[in-house]
Amino acid sequence: MSGDIDWQKSSFSGADDNQNCVELADIDGQIMMRESDAPDTIVGTSRETLRAFLLGVKAGEFDHFTN
């Protein structure tokens, strides 16, 4: 599945292809996510759910996972 998908990674990941990061793709309105170091594991979600998650991240709701 992941071979023909146009994956996008954050510009914060840098240009080095050896850096691991989360990549996103839009497939028929469904947002697909994967980690570059585990490209065969793909998770799908809706735009609305991803938006809610990102707003939560920006608001600090998940900061306790990084401490």
Side-chain angles (χ1 to χ4, degrees):
M1 173 182 182
S2 63
D4 297 335
I5 300 172
D6 184 25
W7 292 99
Q8 178 182 346
K9 67 177 184 174
S10 169
S11 61
F12 288 101
S13 296
D16 183 2
D17 286 337
N18 293 325
Q19 293 181 335
N20 297 330
C21 63
V22 174
E23 300 173 316
L24 300 175
D26 183 333
I27 302 176
D28 298 325
Q30 184 80 357
I31 303 300
M32 309 306 280
M33 297 178 285
R34 71 179 186 178
E35 290 191 45
S36 59
D37 62 336
D40 293 329
T41 303
I42 299 171
V43 176
T45 191
S46 67
R47 288 180 177 273
E48 296 80 19
T49 302
L50 179 60
R51 182 178 186 278
F53 174 72
L54 292 174
L55 288 172
V57 168
K58 289 178 181 180
E61 294 178 23
F62 303 99
D63 287 355
H64 63 281
F65 287 111
T66 62
N67 297 328

